[in-house]
Amino acid sequence: MSRKKLPPEQRSRLDRQEQNSHNAANYPSADQETATESQSRLAGIIDSAIDAIITINAQHRILVFNRAAEKMFLCSAAEAIGQPLDRFLPERFRPSHSSHIQGFSQTGVSSRAMAGARSVFGQRTNGEEFPIEASISQVETGGQKLFTVIMRDVTERERAEERFRQLIETLKEQTKILDLAPVLIQDLNARIVFWNTGAEQMYGWKAEEVLEKTSLSVFKTEFPRPVEEIKARLFARGHWEGELVHTRRDGEQIVVASHWVLHRDENNNPKAILQINNDITERRRAEQEVRRLNEELEQRVADRTAELQAANKELEAFSYSVSHDLRAPLRHINGFSQALLEDCNDLLDETGKEYLREVRSATQEMAQLIDDVLQLARVSRSELHREVVDLSDLAEKIIAKLKARDSTRQAKVVLEEGLTGAGDKRLLGIVLENLLGNAWKFTSKRTITKITLRGNLQDGEHVYSIEDNGAGFDMAFADKLFGTFQRLHRADEFEGTGIGLATVQRIIHRHGGRVWAEGSPEGAKFYFSLPTRKDVRHE
């Protein structure tokens, strides 16, 4: 032990001894050398100890502070020597600590553990608290009492103990949970040797009622295949899984998903069979009900399909009748009206001629209405042939035809290039014909016709817009736009049958898209959308 770490009394005594020796002779005696070696050896032992060793005097001042104590409290011995011991204790423990050492001193007991079963805590110089295990001993030397405290940091041990306690609690909880799973063990003769709580709850028998009985007699098991075959597979593979029918104590039959595991002894000989069974009766009933409903649904679909096919045939027959039987009288009315105008022109006054012209106009309007109704019927039942359609190209051809019919019109038409859409080319052509045709029609009274076709991708679908500067409409009546025979303008203002937009809506809906419009006195903007299709065939 270094001179600085010795108690003051010992240092004084040593100084006197050295002075006397120096006065008597220049060389120490053999006894002095032995004492010095013993002190050095003791100091080395204390410093090499793995536990913190601190010696204090009766005034609780530190006299010895070994290296382990330095590491534990993050304080050097030079700083600790002479300091009160409670400097290294949390403040709340300092009063009890002083009384504890005082009481220990009065008992005369040479050594004992500190605090008994209570937790003891130390405090490092950085303020960190930690649990310690400590023992204290006392000796008398030179007429005064010295107390030596040996301490060990038990932080990791307490953490390990806490983890172990948590593990034990977890295992207990898992054991409870596992005990709820229906488990039984039977020997190779099918005698039940283990029956847990889960099995009691599922089957209704207590363990004492089934132990030593064969599982076949208890459950009246119905196997999916011969039991010898199941056992052969179990012994070959070590396990077997399948569905069995068991009978409960109350006589109810249940379907169980059974898992068998073969247990072998230390010599690898088959010893017992572990069974884990789960009641899947309700699941099987639900699956059977789903199958029944699916079969019923399939039959309904077949019946509905047959009805639709019959209705389509009737609609086709009706369309044929409309197309031929109704057109014939109209042709006669139109033809004879024209003949009257030509052959009896001199016999008719202007009023009569005007009446005939009105008749011819009405027949022509009726013929157009028939065409529109037939087209609406056809787009509703015709089969869709999906492909990638060049909408810009279709729009250019439609605008070219419109301009050819009215070459005097001043028109500024902007068609975005490269617009494509996934759908039926013929039906999408009808959509553009109606929308562009309406835009051309309702801009006829403008000095300059302005029509724009654009498209973009929004929320996973392609959205297209056709905007014009025509007559527009009041948004209060927007819900009537796409109805059959609905018109927002008088016939003497703009011609039409009121079926075009209904046809547009029906076609777009069949493609899985949407159609809507915005209007004002300065014009209208119609939108339609088409879903994106990655699997569409390219031309």
Side-chain angles (χ1 to χ4, degrees), residues 1 5-7 10 42 46 52-58 60-66 69 80-85 136-139 141 144-151:
M1 180 184 296
K5 294 184 179 181
L6 290 174
Q10 293 181 6
L42 177 61
I46 292 175
I53 299 176
I54 302 175
T55 299
I56 61 175
N57 59 20
H60 302 176
R61 297 288 175 173
I62 298 174
L63 304 177
V64 176
F65 200 82
N66 74 341
I81 297 297
Q83 297 292 323
L85 179 61
I136 184 171
S137 61
Q138 67 174 352
V139 294
T141 178
Q144 69 170 346
K145 291 184 178 180
L146 299 180
F147 303 92
T148 298
V149 183
I150 301 176
M151 290 173 284

Side-chain angles (χ1 to χ4, degrees), residues 308-323:
L308 289 174
Q309 290 174 345
N312 282 336
K313 289 182 179 180
E314 292 179 2
L315 186 58
E316 289 175 1
F318 173 75
S319 298
Y320 179 84
S321 175
V322 169
S323 179

Side-chain angles (χ1 to χ4, degrees), residues 329-342 356 360:
L330 289 176
R331 286 195 297 269
H332 281 80
I333 294 172
N334 188 48
F336 280 109
S337 298
Q338 180 66 26
L340 280 173
L341 285 173
E342 294 176 355
L356 287 175
R360 293 195 65 224

Side-chain angles (χ1 to χ4, degrees), residues 272-453:
I273 300 171
L274 170 70
Q275 285 191 30
I276 303 174
N277 299 321
N278 291 308
D279 186 352
I280 60 171
T281 306
E282 291 301 322
R283 188 175 77 190
R284 285 289 172 263
R285 287 174 182 169
E287 290 172 354
Q288 292 175 357
E289 180 65 15
V290 169
R291 283 195 295 270
R292 185 189 67 79
L293 292 175
N294 284 337
E295 292 173 357
E296 186 177 305
L297 180 60
E298 289 175 0
Q299 184 59 45
R300 289 181 180 178
V301 170
D303 295 341
R304 182 59 177 164
T305 301
E307 292 175 1
L308 289 174
Q309 290 174 345
N312 282 336
K313 289 182 179 180
E314 292 179 2
L315 186 58
E316 289 175 1
F318 173 75
S319 298
Y320 179 84
S321 175
V322 169
S323 179
H324 293 80
D325 297 346
L326 293 185
R327 285 178 185 274
L330 289 176
R331 286 195 297 269
H332 281 80
I333 294 172
N334 188 48
F336 280 109
S337 298
Q338 180 66 26
L340 280 173
L341 285 173
E342 294 176 355
D343 298 342
C344 304
N345 186 58
D346 296 338
L347 301 177
L348 296 172
D349 57 14
E350 285 303 319
T351 302
K353 293 177 183 179
E354 182 61 28
Y355 289 164
L356 287 175
R357 282 192 287 269
E358 288 291 335
V359 170
R360 293 195 65 224
S361 177
T363 58
Q364 292 168 2
E365 184 178 345
M366 184 64 181
Q368 182 62 48
L369 185 60
I370 291 173
D371 289 340
D372 291 345
V373 171
L374 289 175
Q375 185 182 67
L376 182 61
R378 282 193 294 270
V379 301
S380 299
R381 69 176 187 272
S382 62
E383 184 179 356
L384 291 180
H385 299 281
R386 291 186 182 272
E387 58 183 312
V388 175
V389 181
D390 188 338
L391 299 179
S392 296
D393 181 64
L394 288 178
E396 286 180 4
K397 293 177 180 178
I398 294 169
I399 291 296
K401 291 179 182 179
L402 293 172
K403 287 182 176 180
R405 294 175 190 170
D406 189 358
S407 57
T408 62
R409 177 88 68 92
Q410 295 186 36
K412 182 179 179 181
V413 181
V414 179
L415 304 177
E416 185 176 332
E417 296 182 357
L419 292 181
T420 60
D424 187 291
K425 184 176 182 179
R426 182 183 66 83
L427 295 181
L428 293 181
I430 294 174
V431 169
L432 291 177
E433 285 178 359
N434 278 283
L435 294 179
L436 291 173
N438 280 351
W440 187 266
K441 176 173 61 176
F442 289 108
T443 56
S444 61
K445 296 183 180 181
R446 301 296 188 188
T447 303
I448 299 178
T449 292
K450 295 181 181 180
I451 300 174
T452 304
L453 169 64

